Structures are given as structure tokens and as C-alpha cells.
Amino acid sequence: MTEALPSGLQIRELPAPKYYEVIYTQRFEHKEGIRSWNERALIMIDDAKGHFSVESGYGNFSNVWGAAGRGGETLHGFLYTCDFDYFMDKASTKPHRIPDYDATVLQLRKDLLQRRREAAGWSRDWMTKERARNMWDDLERLQWDHADTMVRALFEDSDWCQFLDYCDPTCTKEDPGLRRFWNELWRPFAENVLRHWYLIDKQRRPARASAALQREARFPIPRCRALSVEVAA
């Protein structure tokens, strides 16, 4: 005999999540040419709980989206419409943008030239030709191994500290490893598997599909090569 549940307690059985095994090819440039080998990734998508995860040679990714957060779409269909920055901001375990040393040095040089040209009044008295030359030479003479190290060193210099006005000048770029994950694994998987669910969502929810199409127009999704995908039992 089934006992009555205590007041306020609810129990329900949830549909099983879907597991996908993806076999993909990793490539890297070697002095003897381009080398490649097959890798295995495991992708789990749980539409009932809004949870998804990826375990791969590129790293691990996971996040939870509630039904409201994905506009009522299935998680499969919603993931298909996510662009690179949004996906990585939510699912990556590390920042998807990293400091770019060369771009930071280039931008600082441009800022020095612009400040010198536009300087007027007391600003011109401070940004003298000699001071601008010394600061330019700092970027030429001093070599750092990382943009963060350079910026910390510049903030220890009184001239640079005043020039930067305590604002971080670091330029960033996409993490190349995360971009490779996106191009070589995730987007081909999305095109071969998730697009099917996205089209179903579009038929069921025309209004929401319109918003999804607007996202797709802003972030065009290129057609990708096929890859081997198996649905785990």
C-alpha cells in the first residue's frame, strides 16, 4: 500500500537525458606537416532539467538554462541558436577572451600619438614631446612575456599611471583553443543534431521561432561538415 506523501512534498519522474558520443578529428601544425587524430567527446543534454554538459579533449563545458531563460524552447533547439560569446560566457570553465600582448602595445602607441596631437592647455604642458618619447621608448625597450605583466609594470610608473588614468588598457582576443572547440566540434554537432530540434521548435512556436531567427540573422551559422554522432542508449 502506497503511503500518502507528507504535505508539500511532490515527486515526479523526469524523462532521461540524451547522451551523444561524438567522434571528431583534431589537427595541429607540426614541423613535418599537419598531423591529425580522432578524439571522442561525450555530450549530455537534459531538456527536462535544462542541464547540458560536454566532456572533450578541448575541455569541459556545462550550464543550466531554465525554461524561462530559453524562451520556452527545447534545450536542444535553444543551444542551436547560441552564438560563440554567449555560449562561452555561460558554459566555459575559463574566460573565452584572453589578453593580447601585441594588440595592447599597438593600442598604447596609437593612444600616445593621439594624446600628443590632441593635447592642449595644461594637458600639452604635461604631455611634452620628451615625455611622450620616453613613454614610447618604454614600450620599445621593455619586454614582457604577458599583457597582464606589462600593464602591472606600467601602473607602477607615475607617468603611465596618469596617462592611463587608472583604466586597464589591456586588449583581448578569443582563446584559440575554445574557438577550435566551437568550429571543429560544437558547430558541426549543432548542425547535424541540434538543427533538427530547432526546426521542430520553429514549427511549434512561430512567435518564439521568429526571435530565434533574428538571433540567427545576427549571428550567421555556417554550414558545417558532417561528423560521426551516436546517441547512447
PDB file of all heavy atoms in Angstrom, residues 24-39 58 180 184:
ATOM      1  N   TYR A  24      35.404  13.020 -33.473  1.00  0.00           N
ATOM      2  CA  TYR A  24      35.829  14.153 -34.290  1.00  0.00           C
ATOM      3  C   TYR A  24      37.331  14.091 -34.496  1.00  0.00           C
ATOM      4  O   TYR A  24      38.041  13.316 -33.845  1.00  0.00           O
ATOM      5  CB  TYR A  24      35.441  15.486 -33.637  1.00  0.00           C
ATOM      6  CG  TYR A  24      36.065  15.717 -32.291  1.00  0.00           C
ATOM      7  CD1 TYR A  24      37.219  16.495 -32.157  1.00  0.00           C
ATOM      8  CD2 TYR A  24      35.517  15.171 -31.134  1.00  0.00           C
ATOM      9  CE1 TYR A  24      37.801  16.703 -30.921  1.00  0.00           C
ATOM     10  CE2 TYR A  24      36.090  15.371 -29.892  1.00  0.00           C
ATOM     11  CZ  TYR A  24      37.230  16.146 -29.790  1.00  0.00           C
ATOM     12  OH  TYR A  24      37.807  16.344 -28.567  1.00  0.00           O
ATOM     13  N   THR A  25      37.811  14.905 -35.401  1.00  0.00           N
ATOM     14  CA  THR A  25      39.233  14.909 -35.752  1.00  0.00           C
ATOM     15  C   THR A  25      39.904  16.169 -35.234  1.00  0.00           C
ATOM     16  O   THR A  25      39.410  17.281 -35.480  1.00  0.00           O
ATOM     17  CB  THR A  25      39.421  14.823 -37.273  1.00  0.00           C
ATOM     18  OG1 THR A  25      38.799  13.622 -37.753  1.00  0.00           O
ATOM     19  CG2 THR A  25      40.899  14.811 -37.636  1.00  0.00           C
ATOM     20  N   GLN A  26      40.988  16.002 -34.507  1.00  0.00           N
ATOM     21  CA  GLN A  26      41.806  17.133 -34.082  1.00  0.00           C
ATOM     22  C   GLN A  26      43.020  17.242 -34.992  1.00  0.00           C
ATOM     23  O   GLN A  26      43.632  16.235 -35.351  1.00  0.00           O
ATOM     24  CB  GLN A  26      42.257  16.970 -32.630  1.00  0.00           C
ATOM     25  CG  GLN A  26      41.247  17.432 -31.614  1.00  0.00           C
ATOM     26  CD  GLN A  26      41.895  17.743 -30.274  1.00  0.00           C
ATOM     27  OE1 GLN A  26      43.070  17.496 -30.063  1.00  0.00           O
ATOM     28  NE2 GLN A  26      41.110  18.296 -29.366  1.00  0.00           N
ATOM     29  N   ARG A  27      43.359  18.457 -35.358  1.00  0.00           N
ATOM     30  CA  ARG A  27      44.510  18.704 -36.235  1.00  0.00           C
ATOM     31  C   ARG A  27      45.419  19.752 -35.612  1.00  0.00           C
ATOM     32  O   ARG A  27      44.945  20.668 -34.954  1.00  0.00           O
ATOM     33  CB  ARG A  27      44.043  19.185 -37.614  1.00  0.00           C
ATOM     34  CG  ARG A  27      43.175  18.195 -38.365  1.00  0.00           C
ATOM     35  CD  ARG A  27      42.724  18.781 -39.695  1.00  0.00           C
ATOM     36  NE  ARG A  27      41.936  17.835 -40.476  1.00  0.00           N
ATOM     37  CZ  ARG A  27      40.635  17.665 -40.335  1.00  0.00           C
ATOM     38  NH1 ARG A  27      39.973  18.371 -39.447  1.00  0.00           N
ATOM     39  NH2 ARG A  27      39.985  16.787 -41.080  1.00  0.00           N
ATOM     40  N   PHE A  28      46.703  19.614 -35.820  1.00  0.00           N
ATOM     41  CA  PHE A  28      47.629  20.652 -35.399  1.00  0.00           C
ATOM     42  C   PHE A  28      48.818  20.660 -36.348  1.00  0.00           C
ATOM     43  O   PHE A  28      49.150  19.657 -36.970  1.00  0.00           O
ATOM     44  CB  PHE A  28      48.084  20.443 -33.950  1.00  0.00           C
ATOM     45  CG  PHE A  28      49.129  19.365 -33.773  1.00  0.00           C
ATOM     46  CD1 PHE A  28      50.469  19.710 -33.605  1.00  0.00           C
ATOM     47  CD2 PHE A  28      48.784  18.025 -33.775  1.00  0.00           C
ATOM     48  CE1 PHE A  28      51.428  18.728 -33.451  1.00  0.00           C
ATOM     49  CE2 PHE A  28      49.738  17.039 -33.615  1.00  0.00           C
ATOM     50  CZ  PHE A  28      51.075  17.389 -33.451  1.00  0.00           C
ATOM     51  N   GLU A  29      49.410  21.854 -36.461  1.00  0.00           N
ATOM     52  CA  GLU A  29      50.542  22.021 -37.359  1.00  0.00           C
ATOM     53  C   GLU A  29      51.818  21.551 -36.690  1.00  0.00           C
ATOM     54  O   GLU A  29      52.116  21.910 -35.562  1.00  0.00           O
ATOM     55  CB  GLU A  29      50.670  23.491 -37.779  1.00  0.00           C
ATOM     56  CG  GLU A  29      49.527  23.971 -38.640  1.00  0.00           C
ATOM     57  CD  GLU A  29      49.737  25.390 -39.120  1.00  0.00           C
ATOM     58  OE1 GLU A  29      50.836  25.936 -38.836  1.00  0.00           O
ATOM     59  OE2 GLU A  29      48.827  25.945 -39.760  1.00  0.00           O
ATOM     60  N   HIS A  30      52.575  20.727 -37.396  1.00  0.00           N
ATOM     61  CA  HIS A  30      53.834  20.194 -36.906  1.00  0.00           C
ATOM     62  C   HIS A  30      54.914  20.562 -37.908  1.00  0.00           C
ATOM     63  O   HIS A  30      54.627  20.865 -39.077  1.00  0.00           O
ATOM     64  CB  HIS A  30      53.726  18.667 -36.743  1.00  0.00           C
ATOM     65  CG  HIS A  30      54.890  18.026 -36.068  1.00  0.00           C
ATOM     66  ND1 HIS A  30      55.961  17.511 -36.764  1.00  0.00           N
ATOM     67  CD2 HIS A  30      55.149  17.823 -34.755  1.00  0.00           C
ATOM     68  CE1 HIS A  30      56.826  17.002 -35.902  1.00  0.00           C
ATOM     69  NE2 HIS A  30      56.362  17.184 -34.683  1.00  0.00           N
ATOM     70  N   LYS A  31      56.156  20.561 -37.465  1.00  0.00           N
ATOM     71  CA  LYS A  31      57.244  20.934 -38.379  1.00  0.00           C
ATOM     72  C   LYS A  31      57.320  20.010 -39.583  1.00  0.00           C
ATOM     73  O   LYS A  31      57.851  20.376 -40.641  1.00  0.00           O
ATOM     74  CB  LYS A  31      58.577  20.943 -37.637  1.00  0.00           C
ATOM     75  CG  LYS A  31      58.979  19.597 -37.040  1.00  0.00           C
ATOM     76  CD  LYS A  31      60.297  19.704 -36.287  1.00  0.00           C
ATOM     77  CE  LYS A  31      60.706  18.362 -35.698  1.00  0.00           C
ATOM     78  NZ  LYS A  31      61.988  18.462 -34.940  1.00  0.00           N
ATOM     79  N   GLU A  32      56.781  18.804 -39.442  1.00  0.00           N
ATOM     80  CA  GLU A  32      56.778  17.858 -40.548  1.00  0.00           C
ATOM     81  C   GLU A  32      55.467  17.893 -41.334  1.00  0.00           C
ATOM     82  O   GLU A  32      55.263  17.081 -42.213  1.00  0.00           O
ATOM     83  CB  GLU A  32      57.040  16.443 -40.019  1.00  0.00           C
ATOM     84  CG  GLU A  32      58.406  16.296 -39.338  1.00  0.00           C
ATOM     85  CD  GLU A  32      58.602  14.901 -38.779  1.00  0.00           C
ATOM     86  OE1 GLU A  32      57.652  14.084 -38.883  1.00  0.00           O
ATOM     87  OE2 GLU A  32      59.692  14.620 -38.248  1.00  0.00           O
ATOM     88  N   GLY A  33      54.586  18.833 -40.956  1.00  0.00           N
ATOM     89  CA  GLY A  33      53.309  18.936 -41.652  1.00  0.00           C
ATOM     90  C   GLY A  33      52.150  18.908 -40.667  1.00  0.00           C
ATOM     91  O   GLY A  33      52.339  18.946 -39.447  1.00  0.00           O
ATOM     92  N   ILE A  34      50.944  18.846 -41.196  1.00  0.00           N
ATOM     93  CA  ILE A  34      49.747  18.819 -40.351  1.00  0.00           C
ATOM     94  C   ILE A  34      49.476  17.394 -39.897  1.00  0.00           C
ATOM     95  O   ILE A  34      49.416  16.467 -40.706  1.00  0.00           O
ATOM     96  CB  ILE A  34      48.530  19.371 -41.122  1.00  0.00           C
ATOM     97  CG1 ILE A  34      48.760  20.838 -41.478  1.00  0.00           C
ATOM     98  CG2 ILE A  34      47.265  19.229 -40.291  1.00  0.00           C
ATOM     99  CD1 ILE A  34      47.641  21.462 -42.274  1.00  0.00           C
ATOM    100  N   ARG A  35      49.329  17.231 -38.591  1.00  0.00           N
ATOM    101  CA  ARG A  35      49.012  15.918 -38.034  1.00  0.00           C
ATOM    102  C   ARG A  35      47.584  15.920 -37.510  1.00  0.00           C
ATOM    103  O   ARG A  35      47.071  16.960 -37.093  1.00  0.00           O
ATOM    104  CB  ARG A  35      49.993  15.561 -36.907  1.00  0.00           C
ATOM    105  CG  ARG A  35      51.421  15.342 -37.394  1.00  0.00           C
ATOM    106  CD  ARG A  35      52.309  14.828 -36.285  1.00  0.00           C
ATOM    107  NE  ARG A  35      53.638  14.483 -36.769  1.00  0.00           N
ATOM    108  CZ  ARG A  35      54.600  13.979 -35.994  1.00  0.00           C
ATOM    109  NH1 ARG A  35      54.378  13.776 -34.704  1.00  0.00           N
ATOM    110  NH2 ARG A  35      55.782  13.694 -36.518  1.00  0.00           N
ATOM    111  N   SER A  36      46.953  14.779 -37.528  1.00  0.00           N
ATOM    112  CA  SER A  36      45.573  14.682 -37.068  1.00  0.00           C
ATOM    113  C   SER A  36      45.331  13.326 -36.422  1.00  0.00           C
ATOM    114  O   SER A  36      46.048  12.362 -36.691  1.00  0.00           O
ATOM    115  CB  SER A  36      44.601  14.880 -38.243  1.00  0.00           C
ATOM    116  OG  SER A  36      44.758  13.847 -39.206  1.00  0.00           O
ATOM    117  N   TRP A  37      44.332  13.280 -35.557  1.00  0.00           N
ATOM    118  CA  TRP A  37      43.937  12.032 -34.925  1.00  0.00           C
ATOM    119  C   TRP A  37      42.486  12.159 -34.463  1.00  0.00           C
ATOM    120  O   TRP A  37      41.963  13.254 -34.303  1.00  0.00           O
ATOM    121  CB  TRP A  37      44.837  11.703 -33.731  1.00  0.00           C
ATOM    122  CG  TRP A  37      44.757  12.692 -32.609  1.00  0.00           C
ATOM    123  CD1 TRP A  37      43.963  12.622 -31.505  1.00  0.00           C
ATOM    124  CD2 TRP A  37      45.489  13.916 -32.481  1.00  0.00           C
ATOM    125  NE1 TRP A  37      44.139  13.710 -30.703  1.00  0.00           N
ATOM    126  CE2 TRP A  37      45.081  14.519 -31.274  1.00  0.00           C
ATOM    127  CE3 TRP A  37      46.446  14.552 -33.275  1.00  0.00           C
ATOM    128  CZ2 TRP A  37      45.597  15.740 -30.840  1.00  0.00           C
ATOM    129  CZ3 TRP A  37      46.959  15.762 -32.834  1.00  0.00           C
ATOM    130  CH2 TRP A  37      46.541  16.332 -31.636  1.00  0.00           C
ATOM    131  N   ASN A  38      41.835  11.048 -34.277  1.00  0.00           N
ATOM    132  CA  ASN A  38      40.440  11.043 -33.856  1.00  0.00           C
ATOM    133  C   ASN A  38      40.326  11.162 -32.343  1.00  0.00           C
ATOM    134  O   ASN A  38      41.111  10.577 -31.598  1.00  0.00           O
ATOM    135  CB  ASN A  38      39.733   9.764 -34.321  1.00  0.00           C
ATOM    136  CG  ASN A  38      39.480   9.773 -35.816  1.00  0.00           C
ATOM    137  OD1 ASN A  38      39.415  10.826 -36.438  1.00  0.00           O
ATOM    138  ND2 ASN A  38      39.329   8.591 -36.400  1.00  0.00           N
ATOM    139  N   GLU A  39      39.349  11.944 -31.910  1.00  0.00           N
ATOM    140  CA  GLU A  39      39.064  12.123 -30.491  1.00  0.00           C
ATOM    141  C   GLU A  39      37.604  11.775 -30.236  1.00  0.00           C
ATOM    142  O   GLU A  39      36.788  11.710 -31.150  1.00  0.00           O
ATOM    143  CB  GLU A  39      39.330  13.569 -30.073  1.00  0.00           C
ATOM    144  CG  GLU A  39      40.796  13.948 -30.009  1.00  0.00           C
ATOM    145  CD  GLU A  39      41.423  13.577 -28.670  1.00  0.00           C
ATOM    146  OE1 GLU A  39      40.714  13.010 -27.814  1.00  0.00           O
ATOM    147  OE2 GLU A  39      42.623  13.868 -28.493  1.00  0.00           O
ATOM    148  N   TYR A  58      38.974  19.265 -25.829  1.00  0.00           N
ATOM    149  CA  TYR A  58      39.107  20.715 -25.816  1.00  0.00           C
ATOM    150  C   TYR A  58      38.827  21.301 -24.438  1.00  0.00           C
ATOM    151  O   TYR A  58      39.044  22.480 -24.204  1.00  0.00           O
ATOM    152  CB  TYR A  58      38.135  21.346 -26.810  1.00  0.00           C
ATOM    153  CG  TYR A  58      38.436  21.031 -28.253  1.00  0.00           C
ATOM    154  CD1 TYR A  58      37.610  20.179 -28.980  1.00  0.00           C
ATOM    155  CD2 TYR A  58      39.530  21.592 -28.902  1.00  0.00           C
ATOM    156  CE1 TYR A  58      37.866  19.891 -30.314  1.00  0.00           C
ATOM    157  CE2 TYR A  58      39.801  21.312 -30.240  1.00  0.00           C
ATOM    158  CZ  TYR A  58      38.960  20.461 -30.933  1.00  0.00           C
ATOM    159  OH  TYR A  58      39.230  20.181 -32.251  1.00  0.00           O
ATOM    160  N   ARG A 180      38.614  26.692 -31.504  1.00  0.00           N
ATOM    161  CA  ARG A 180      38.738  25.416 -32.204  1.00  0.00           C
ATOM    162  C   ARG A 180      37.642  24.455 -31.764  1.00  0.00           C
ATOM    163  O   ARG A 180      37.057  23.738 -32.590  1.00  0.00           O
ATOM    164  CB  ARG A 180      40.118  24.797 -31.940  1.00  0.00           C
ATOM    165  CG  ARG A 180      41.267  25.491 -32.670  1.00  0.00           C
ATOM    166  CD  ARG A 180      42.578  24.786 -32.377  1.00  0.00           C
ATOM    167  NE  ARG A 180      42.529  23.395 -32.773  1.00  0.00           N
ATOM    168  CZ  ARG A 180      43.278  22.440 -32.227  1.00  0.00           C
ATOM    169  NH1 ARG A 180      44.128  22.732 -31.257  1.00  0.00           N
ATOM    170  NH2 ARG A 180      43.184  21.200 -32.655  1.00  0.00           N
ATOM    171  N   GLU A 184      35.364  23.119 -34.693  1.00  0.00           N
ATOM    172  CA  GLU A 184      35.657  21.745 -35.083  1.00  0.00           C
ATOM    173  C   GLU A 184      34.746  20.716 -34.435  1.00  0.00           C
ATOM    174  O   GLU A 184      34.597  19.617 -34.965  1.00  0.00           O
ATOM    175  CB  GLU A 184      37.118  21.414 -34.756  1.00  0.00           C
ATOM    176  CG  GLU A 184      38.116  22.283 -35.510  1.00  0.00           C
ATOM    177  CD  GLU A 184      39.552  22.006 -35.113  1.00  0.00           C
ATOM    178  OE1 GLU A 184      39.792  21.010 -34.395  1.00  0.00           O
ATOM    179  OE2 GLU A 184      40.440  22.793 -35.499  1.00  0.00           O
TER     180      GLU A 184
END
